């Protein structure tokens, strides 16, 4: 415990916690006496902690009961001392240090998670959590650290049975308002103070741990607390620090699998806040790996937010399309992330596609499609190149799906005619590469079946999707759009390239048919019928 943190024990009175403004700190003593007491308490605490390190106890039910009993006694002593001497911090400082010490002792339980149900049955959880609102923020910080230790995922095994004690603990914590208390404590911490900055990090870690054990916590914490408001406020700050990075990560986790949270953040002007945060990197690269990770987190947040239709509308109104194009043109490290965000924005949302064409995004997009991407250490990696290819193919498929007629459609189609149909050549190059990958994976899966490995058709299909079938299907869809334009020059080019690879229109039709047969009804039966009708039109045309 730092000298500063210990000093806080004496800096409290009943006048809103203001510091004493003169040297008469104690009723019967001088400032020098305060320093002497402070140092003696420091020595006592360090001696106590040293003894605890050397004492190794077997963690069993008996130990647990002893720890809880001791903790309850120290808590009672502290409450009584504070009530008896509210204006004399020196009279309750010793009980505060004892309480701090016992909270640290309880962290030994992280080594025996099987005892968590017993901890709950001993009714210790309410007493521990009430300390999150303790007048001394150091005690609240101790509780946060304890909760972080007890809920650490490394404490638990991966099997279902070993996770049960963790669920019992987390359920008890949630029932006793841990989420509300954690966020209230978070709001009162001073993020510019080094000690309290660490407490902020521990609080966010605890929230992440709770979500990992009980995924429903992701929506609970957003319904019951102002955590989202705090996180958005944190990522708005221009200066980078570790807690801004962690705030971006927690926000991404909360948005990841929750449509309710995505809508909630959208209603809080969150789309605009995230756009402002990523805009800081439109013409500069992050200065460190941690800052780079934060930027990726911010784009993860943006992509999650772009799932609900109403947030796509907010994105377009906030000029998100224009910002992403600027980021692509600047060719900094956020280049591929901007393409990903545009793809999410334009999927099944024609207004975003139209805006993209209107603000001259086609030239930038097709430069990426042709492989003219910025080169740096990161994107030299083969997997990065593949992900970028897959994303830009998806983006172009979204454009074709969103722009069905008019001058914008003509501008899109004209891109495949210019420079002697070079973009059709590129499309067929990608078609062949992904087709070969899917064939290789299909042969591998067939061999696995011969080895008596059970695999149903759905699993096989999903494996093929992961190996590149989805991108191959999108390429076939783009070819379908071009073919249905009935442009003789483009049709002739496609037929020539298929013939050169000893393929026919039937090969494209087969891919489209498989895509047609596997379209799901996630968006409802009517949407499924519309999607299948569109693909059937391509099949018939070929």
């Amino acid at each position: 415990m730092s000298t500063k943190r210990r000093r806080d024990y004496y800096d409290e009175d009943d006048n809103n916690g203001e510091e004493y403004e003169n040297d008469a700190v104690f009723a019967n003593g001088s400032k020098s006496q305060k320093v002497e007491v402070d140092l003696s308490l420091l020595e006592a605490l360090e001696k106590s902690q040293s003894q605890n390190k050397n004492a190794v106890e077997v963690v069993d039910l008996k130990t647990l009961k002893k720890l809880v009993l001791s903790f309850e006694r120290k808590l009672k002593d502290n409450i009584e001392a504070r009530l008896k001497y509210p204006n004399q911090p020196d009279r309750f400082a010793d009980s505060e240090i004892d309480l701090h010490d016992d909270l640290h002792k309880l962290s030994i339980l992280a080594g025996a998670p099987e005892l968590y149900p017993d901890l709950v049955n001993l009714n210790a959880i309410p007493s521990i959590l009430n300390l999150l609102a303790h007048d001394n923020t150091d005690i609240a910080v101790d509780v946060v650290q304890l909760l972080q230790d007890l809920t650490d995922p490394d404490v638990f095994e991966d099997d279902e049975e070993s996770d049960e004690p963790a669920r019992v603990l987390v359920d008890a914590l949630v029932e006793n308002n841990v989420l509300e208390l954690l966020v209230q404590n978070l709001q009162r911490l001073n993020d510019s103070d080094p000690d309290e900055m660490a407490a902020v990090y521990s609080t966010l870690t605890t929230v992440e741990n709770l979500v990992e054990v009980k995924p429903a916590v992701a929506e609970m914490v957003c319904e019951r607390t102002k955590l989202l408001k705090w996180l958005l406020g944190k990522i708005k700050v221009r200066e980078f620090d570790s807690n801004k990075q962690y705030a971006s990560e927690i926000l991404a986790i909360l948005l990841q699998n929750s449509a309710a949270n995505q809508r909630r953040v959208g209603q809080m002007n969150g789309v605009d806040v995230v756009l402002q945060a990523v805009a800081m990197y439109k013409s500069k690269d992050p200065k460190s790996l941690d800052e780079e990770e934060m930027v990726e987190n911010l784009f993860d947040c943006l992509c999650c937010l772009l799932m609900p239709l109403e947030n796509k509308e907010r994105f377009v109104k906030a000029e998100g399309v224009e910002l992403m194009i600027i980021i692509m043109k600047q060719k900094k490290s956020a280049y591929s992330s901007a393409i990903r965000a545009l793809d999410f924005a334009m999927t099944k949302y024609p207004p975003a596609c139209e805006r993209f064409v209107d603000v001259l995004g086609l030239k930038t997009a097709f430069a990426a499609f042709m492989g003219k991407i910025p080169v740096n250490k990161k994107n030299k990696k083969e997997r990065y190149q593949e992900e970028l290819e897959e994303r830009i193919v998806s983006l172009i498929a979204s454009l074709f799906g969103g722009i069905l007629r008019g001058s914008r459609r003509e501008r899109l189609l004209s891109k495949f005619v210019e420079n002697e149909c070079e973009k059709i050549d590129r499309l067929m190059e990608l078609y062949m590469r992904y087709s070969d990958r899917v064939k290789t994976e299909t042969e591998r899966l067939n061999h696995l079946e011969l080895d008596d490995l059970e695999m149903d058709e759905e699993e096989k299909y999903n494996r093929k999707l992961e190996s590149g079938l989805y991108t191959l299907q999108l390429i076939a869809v783009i070819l379908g759009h071009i073919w249905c334009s009935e442009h003789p020059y483009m049709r002739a080019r496609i037929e020539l390239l298929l013939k050169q690879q000893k393929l026919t229109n039937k090969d494209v039709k087969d891919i489209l048919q498989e895509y047609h047969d596997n379209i799901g009804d996630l968006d409802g039966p009517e949407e499924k019928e519309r999607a299948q009708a569109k693909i059937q039109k391509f099949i018939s045309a070929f």
Side-chain angles (χ1 to χ4, degrees):
M1 183 181 293
S2 69
T3 304
K4 191 267 171 194
R5 285 181 62 187
R6 280 187 306 281
R7 194 178 298 120
D8 288 346
Y9 292 134
Y10 307 104
D11 286 345
E12 300 175 32
D13 63 7
D14 57 351
N15 186 27
N16 297 322
E18 292 179 357
E19 295 183 2
Y20 293 96
E21 295 180 354
N22 54 54
D23 289 343
V25 180
F26 306 121
N28 299 311
S30 66
K31 185 175 181 182
S32 61
Q33 287 175 308
K34 176 198 171 187
V35 175
E36 288 175 12
V37 175
D38 191 28
L39 291 174
S40 65
L41 290 173
L42 170 60
E43 290 166 3
L45 178 59
E46 288 177 345
K47 182 178 179 182
S48 171
Q49 289 175 332
S50 175
Q51 289 172 344
N52 289 336
K53 284 182 181 178
N54 295 328
V56 179
E57 286 190 278
V58 177
V59 187
D60 53 18
L61 182 56
K62 183 179 178 182
T63 306
L64 170 62
K65 288 179 177 178
K66 189 168 76 172
L67 288 170
V68 169
L69 182 60
S70 174
F71 162 72
E72 294 285 4
R73 283 174 178 164
K74 301 295 170 53
L75 174 58
K76 182 172 176 287
D77 291 345
N78 179 240
I79 292 170
E80 289 176 352
R82 274 185 166 266
L83 289 172
K84 193 171 182 180
Y85 308 106
N87 300 320
Q88 295 176 270
D90 61 308
R91 303 298 292 269
F92 57 71
D94 284 346
S95 69
E96 222 115 292
I97 289 180
D98 288 342
L99 187 56
H100 159 91
D101 203 26
D102 268 39
L103 284 167
H104 276 261
K105 286 178 184 177
L106 283 169
S107 65
I108 197 174
L109 296 174
E114 67 277 6
L115 292 175
Y116 286 179
D118 297 301
L119 178 66
V120 172
N121 292 334
L122 288 168
N123 204 31
I125 299 300
S127 299
I128 293 170
L129 293 183
N130 285 339
L131 289 175
L132 283 169
H134 198 280
D135 288 339
N136 183 351
T137 55
D138 287 339
I139 295 296
V141 168
D142 290 336
V143 175
V144 172
Q145 185 59 57
L146 173 62
L147 293 174
Q148 180 187 340
D149 291 342
L150 295 180
T151 58
D152 189 332
D154 292 340
V155 168
F156 315 115
E157 303 293 336
D158 291 332
D159 60 277
E160 191 80 13
E161 189 176 330
S162 299
D163 282 350
E164 184 57 32
R167 284 191 288 272
V168 170
L169 174 64
V170 171
D171 285 342
L173 291 172
V174 171
E175 285 168 15
N176 285 279
N177 304 318
V178 69
L179 302 176
E180 294 86 342
L181 291 165
L182 278 172
V183 176
Q184 286 168 15
N185 188 53
L186 184 66
Q187 290 173 314
R188 70 173 180 157
L189 290 170
N190 177 9
D191 207 9
S192 62
D193 178 278
D195 285 326
E196 296 193 10
M197 189 175 179
V200 169
Y201 196 91
S202 292
T203 303
L204 296 178
T205 303
T206 304
V207 171
E208 182 180 6
N209 293 349
L210 293 170
V211 171
E212 185 157 342
V213 175
K214 186 182 177 76
V217 167
E219 289 191 1
M220 288 180 189
V221 73
C222 298
E223 288 168 5
R224 301 180 188 178
T225 76
K226 295 182 179 179
L227 179 60
L228 286 177
K229 182 180 178 181
W230 187 93
L231 293 171
L232 290 172
K234 188 62 188 167
I235 65 172
K236 280 174 73 172
V237 177
R238 293 195 69 85
E239 295 76 20
F240 171 78
D241 61 41
S242 59
N243 282 342
K244 182 178 179 182
Q245 176 197 349
Y246 205 3
S248 68
E249 184 178 339
I250 296 298
L251 183 59
I253 289 169
L254 296 177
L255 293 172
Q256 199 169 33
N257 298 308
S258 172
N261 286 350
Q262 292 160 6
R263 292 190 177 92
R264 193 174 279 115
V265 173
Q267 291 162 2
M268 296 169 66
N269 199 34
V271 173
D272 197 53
V273 170
V274 177
L275 284 173
Q276 289 176 40
V278 301
M280 296 180 199
Y281 298 91
K282 66 177 183 285
S283 57
K284 69 173 184 178
D285 285 331
K287 295 177 182 177
S288 66
L289 288 175
D290 285 343
E291 193 170 1
E292 186 178 311
E293 184 181 329
M294 182 199 69
V295 175
E296 289 178 5
N297 291 337
L298 290 172
F299 274 100
D300 286 344
C301 292
L302 185 58
C303 291
C304 289
L305 285 172
L306 288 170
M307 299 293 281
L309 192 66
E310 58 267 36
N311 285 348
K312 293 177 190 280
E313 183 180 353
R314 293 184 177 106
F315 177 82
V316 173
K317 283 184 177 177
E319 300 186 353
V321 173
E322 290 89 331
L323 176 60
M324 296 304 115
I325 292 171
I326 290 169
I327 291 173
M328 289 177 67
K329 286 180 176 178
Q330 292 293 324
K331 298 183 178 179
K332 297 297 181 181
S333 63
Y335 180 86
S336 64
S337 298
I339 294 174
R340 182 162 64 105
L342 282 169
D343 183 32
F344 272 85
M346 292 193 286
T347 300
K348 298 179 182 177
Y349 191 62
C353 300
E354 292 165 3
R355 175 68 68 86
F356 186 81
V357 175
D358 291 346
V359 296
L360 309 179
L362 290 177
K363 182 179 178 181
T364 309
F366 278 98
F369 178 71
M370 294 302 292
K372 297 172 184 175
I373 60 174
V375 177
N376 56 43
K377 288 180 182 178
K378 178 183 173 184
N379 65 20
K380 280 182 179 177
K381 295 176 182 176
E382 186 177 340
R383 185 58 198 144
Y384 176 92
Q385 299 275 5
E386 286 180 3
E387 287 175 359
L388 196 57
E389 277 178 2
E390 291 165 6
R391 192 59 69 182
I392 200 70
V393 165
S394 179
L395 186 150
I396 292 169
S398 293
L399 279 169
F400 271 112
I403 302 171
L404 301 176
R405 59 187 65 84
S407 60
R408 295 187 186 97
R409 179 79 172 185
E410 292 302 317
R411 287 164 66 182
L412 177 58
L413 285 166
S414 69
K415 283 291 175 183
F416 289 88
V417 181
E418 63 186 22
N419 298 331
E420 298 181 348
C421 295
E422 65 173 3
K423 293 174 184 68
I424 291 181
D425 295 352
R426 171 66 170 163
L427 197 62
M428 291 307 299
E429 174 197 327
L430 293 172
Y431 176 92
M432 292 309 304
R433 192 191 319 153
Y434 281 91
S435 178
D436 289 342
R437 280 173 54 178
V438 172
K439 284 176 185 173
T440 302
E441 179 66 9
T442 303
E443 290 170 4
R444 191 183 73 82
L445 292 174
N446 290 337
H447 279 301
L448 287 175
E449 283 199 330
L450 291 173
D451 294 336
D452 295 330
L453 183 71
E454 290 187 15
M455 193 178 301
D456 59 27
E457 288 303 312
E458 185 179 353
E459 187 177 353
K460 283 174 66 177
Y461 183 70
N462 288 334
R463 293 276 189 96
K464 285 160 66 179
L465 286 175
E466 290 168 7
S467 70
L469 177 59
Y470 181 64
T471 301
L472 179 62
Q473 290 170 343
L474 290 181
I475 294 169
V477 167
I478 296 169
L479 287 170
H481 280 287
I482 295 170
W483 190 267
C484 285
S485 71
E486 298 184 356
H487 193 294
Y489 188 25
M490 289 195 286
R491 276 193 172 189
R493 190 71 173 188
I494 292 170
E495 285 184 323
L496 173 64
L497 294 169
L498 285 170
K499 190 175 181 181
Q500 285 178 352
Q501 298 295 333
K502 298 180 180 178
L503 298 172
T504 66
N505 289 10
K506 184 179 181 303
D507 293 283
V508 182
K509 283 172 64 176
D510 289 344
I511 293 166
L512 289 169
Q513 189 65 56
E514 185 178 23
Y515 183 39
H516 171 281
D517 296 344
N518 286 280
I519 290 175
D521 58 358
L522 191 64
D523 297 320
E526 290 182 4
E527 184 60 34
K528 176 181 177 178
E529 282 182 23
R530 274 195 291 269
Q532 286 183 323
K534 182 178 72 174
I535 302 303
Q536 188 59 53
K537 179 184 173 184
F538 298 153
I539 294 169
S540 301
F542 272 113

